[in-house]
Amino acid sequence: MNKINILAVDDEPDIGRLLQEILEDEGYAVMVAESGAAARRLRAERKPDLILLDIWMPNEDGITLLKEWLRDDPLCPVIMMSGHATVETAVEATRLGAYDFLEKPLSMAKLLVTVERALENAKLKRENIGLKRRAEAPIEPVGKSAAMERLRDQIRRLAQHDAPVLLVGEPGSGKETLARYLHANSPRRDGPFVDVGVGTIAPAYSAVEFFGRVDGLDEIQHGLLEQAHGGTLFLSEVADMEEETQIRLMGALESGSFSRVGGSELLHVNVRVVASTRKPLEEEVRAGRFRRELYYLLNVVTLKVPPLAEHSEDVPELLNFYVDYFVSREKLPFRKFPVPVQNFLRHYPWPGNIRELKNLVQRLLILGSGEEVELEEVKAALGESLAGPVSPSQPDFYDLPLKDARERFEKAYLEYHLEKYAGSVARLSQAIGLERTHLYRKLNSLGIKFKDKR
């Protein structure tokens, strides 16, 4: 088990040594800094679990550091120390977010109790955030069909092991929901679940995205691997990953360690990797588009996620689930899908799978009226999907290189949908199934001024 890291910041060397000796005897790993600059460097190199911070130091006071560090990581408890502080200073420190205040000369018994309570308080906060995150997401995959029962059973059994899992299925078939369900049933359930749309990460930025960055002594950016430490890293649609990104990620996953860009310390992470793909990775490997070594790392256990058309008996339950979901989450008016409409939708081919069904329910609740959904309005909402594919004229970007063509398409696609949803990035994220953080990054990389469309 990794030791808890404590950073002790005090300009008096004797106090720093005393804190180090006492806390290391209790089993903690302790770093000592005698100035604000040294403290920043140590904090950037090794993220502490708790900080003991002197208020009065040469060149820089502890209150300034407290404000800075709590902005960066509000979950890391900071205990202030001072030998000649006023009551007002102690009150100000706790008002700003310090966990507690210790007077010098330090009582070692009070120090140890305060440290223990601060760490327990931080643990409870992280657990509450994890519980809130799980409560906000529809974790359990919906459906009583044999296919879904079998899939849930496989996921529950796999959740007890740390082997990488590869989820293979069509877009919109529920791969992310299954990844979250696996995480929620695993021993890592109280750790973070970090969702990464790897296809949206440009190769030039992949090292910073995955490993983080240190800029001098003041700024630190925690990468995706570090954010997922102790939890699950979900790599969505890995077949879209650029080769340079594949190489960097492969090295980190093989060794379980990396250094931040601009940093020198080797960081070790403990993450469970779950990946998804809509494309058969074996074919991508044979075509030279996906590295064989990374394929073997990710493909320890493969689960096939069936398209909705293969378990269409679950359609009525999914309809009811998403009606309740939008009524409770978005306060949309309740509407019932009568049996004839349910039967019609059971026989619809669902090319967009569960995501298409979810979007259909949302659209009918927003735009429809009346207590029951009518069959004709369902047909009108499905529109072109019922009419079958139309042969379009050849787009002008067909003659461009693949990378340029993809960027042209993505820009046009996102601009169209952003206009459709009146500039709301939140609604756009939900409609196209791309996590909001990755969507902001994609909009910026394509030069789409989404704020101007609000």
Side-chain angles (χ1 to χ4, degrees):
M1 181 180 292
N2 292 332
K3 287 187 176 182
I4 291 172
N5 285 312
I6 294 178
L7 172 61
V9 187
D10 198 300
D11 64 313
E12 298 181 52
D14 289 345
I15 292 180
R17 279 194 297 271
L18 179 63
L19 288 170
Q20 188 169 30
E21 290 171 4
I22 295 292
L23 293 169
E24 285 183 347
D25 281 346
E26 295 296 316
Y28 301 111
V30 183
M31 306 174 286
V32 178
E34 296 180 11
S35 67
R40 282 197 180 93
R41 185 180 66 254
L42 287 172
R43 183 177 174 275
E45 289 175 354
R46 187 182 303 169
K47 188 177 179 183
D49 300 295
L50 179 142
I51 299 172
L52 292 162
L53 179 59
D54 189 24
I55 287 185
W56 305 112
M57 293 183 295
N59 302 322
E60 193 158 24
D61 65 277
I63 295 294
T64 300
L65 293 172
L66 172 71
K67 292 177 182 177
E68 176 187 318
W69 290 345
L70 287 180
R71 278 197 304 269
D72 179 59
D73 184 4
L75 291 181
C76 178
V78 180
I79 298 171
M80 306 301 292
M81 306 179 296
S82 179
H84 41 79
T86 63
V87 173
E88 290 79 7
T89 305
V91 170
E92 175 68 5
T94 51
R95 185 188 68 79
L96 290 170
Y99 175 77
D100 207 342
F101 183 90
L102 297 175
E103 287 186 279
K104 297 178 184 176
L106 296 171
S107 160
M108 290 304 125
K110 185 175 181 181
L111 167 72
L112 294 176
V113 169
T114 306
V115 165
E116 186 177 341
R117 288 177 178 170
L119 290 168
E120 183 63 29
N121 180 265
K123 180 183 175 184
L124 288 172
K125 283 183 179 179
R126 285 192 292 269
E127 288 176 353
N128 286 337
I129 289 171
L131 288 169
K132 183 179 178 183
R133 192 182 292 128
R134 292 202 297 276
E136 288 175 349
I139 292 295
E140 180 154 349
V142 177
K144 294 185 173 65
S145 64
M148 291 306 294
E149 292 281 9
R150 183 167 57 252
L151 198 55
R152 277 194 298 267
D153 180 63
Q154 290 174 319
I155 289 286
R156 282 193 293 264
R157 284 188 280 119
L158 281 171
Q160 306 314 308
H161 307 280
D162 257 358
V165 175
L166 181 64
L167 301 170
V168 182
E170 294 179 5
S173 57
K175 299 188 290 293
E176 182 187 339
T177 299
L178 287 166
R180 291 183 181 275
Y181 184 60
L182 185 151
H183 173 76
N185 284 274
S186 76
R188 296 174 177 270
R189 65 180 64 88
D190 292 324
F193 179 92
V194 178
D195 176 12
V196 187
V198 290
T200 66
I201 299 176
Y205 302 108
S206 61
V208 172
E209 288 285 340
F210 279 109
F211 310 139
R213 176 174 55 200
V214 177
D215 291 332
L217 300 176
D218 299 67
E219 296 293 331
I220 179 170
Q221 177 181 334
H222 302 295
L224 294 165
L225 283 166
E226 199 175 350
Q227 292 172 37
H229 179 65
T232 301
L233 181 68
F234 177 53
L235 304 173
S236 176
E237 299 300 343
V238 289
D240 295 338
M241 201 186 313
E242 300 282 358
E243 184 177 10
E244 190 175 336
T245 306
Q246 293 179 36
I247 294 170
R248 286 184 169 134
L249 180 61
M250 183 175 63
L253 295 181
E254 279 183 323
S255 64
S257 60
F258 58 91
S259 295
R260 297 190 190 102
V261 176
S264 57
E265 184 180 1
L266 196 63
L267 303 174
H268 298 273
V269 290
N270 176 13
V271 298
R272 202 261 177 86
V273 177
V274 179
S276 75
T277 179
R278 67 188 184 281
K279 303 174 185 177
L281 284 190
E282 303 94 328
E283 294 180 12
E284 296 297 303
V285 170
R286 284 195 292 269
R289 292 187 292 267
F290 199 83
R291 297 190 69 86
R292 187 177 301 275
E293 302 92 332
L294 182 57
Y295 169 67
Y296 289 139
L297 275 174
L298 300 176
N299 188 36
V300 175
V301 179
T302 298
L303 284 184
K304 173 76 166 63
V305 183
L308 182 53
E310 291 183 10
H311 58 108
S312 58
E313 61 267 44
D314 291 326
V315 165
E317 187 177 353
L318 283 163
L319 292 170
N320 291 332
F321 174 84
Y322 282 115
V323 168
D324 291 341
Y325 175 87
F326 288 118
V327 168
S328 62
R329 300 292 178 90
E330 298 190 8
K331 309 304 179 188
L332 295 180
F334 176 83
R335 302 189 73 200
K336 181 181 178 182
F337 282 78
V339 173
V341 174
Q342 292 183 28
N343 285 336
F344 172 79
L345 291 174
R346 280 189 62 173
H347 294 92
Y348 174 68
W350 296 110
N353 292 295
I354 295 173
R355 184 183 299 146
E356 183 184 6
L357 182 146
K358 178 183 177 182
N359 292 345
L360 175 68
V361 171
Q362 184 181 28
R363 187 158 60 248
L364 291 169
L365 295 186
I366 291 173
L367 299 177
S369 59
E371 293 182 3
E372 290 195 347
V373 176
E374 301 289 340
L375 182 57
E376 290 308 311
E377 64 177 308
V378 170
K379 291 180 178 179
L382 292 171
E384 295 177 1
S385 299
L386 288 173
V390 178
S391 298
S393 58
Q394 179 172 305
D396 59 358
F397 56 72
Y398 271 23
D399 295 324
L400 295 174
L402 178 60
K403 183 176 182 296
D404 295 337
R406 183 172 67 184
E407 286 186 359
R408 179 83 66 83
F409 166 76
E410 287 180 340
K411 191 170 191 295
Y413 174 83
L414 290 171
E415 284 180 335
Y416 166 79
H417 283 284
L418 195 61
E419 195 71 43
K420 178 180 177 182
Y421 292 107
S424 170
V425 177
R427 291 178 63 195
L428 174 62
S429 169
Q430 188 175 58
I432 68 174
L434 186 63
E435 199 273 329
R436 202 181 303 182
T437 302
H438 308 317
L439 178 56
Y440 278 121
R441 188 181 298 119
K442 174 60 72 175
L443 291 171
N444 282 321
S445 70
L446 294 172
I448 298 174
K449 304 256 189 295
F450 49 90
K451 290 181 181 176
D452 297 342
K453 296 180 180 289
R454 290 188 184 279

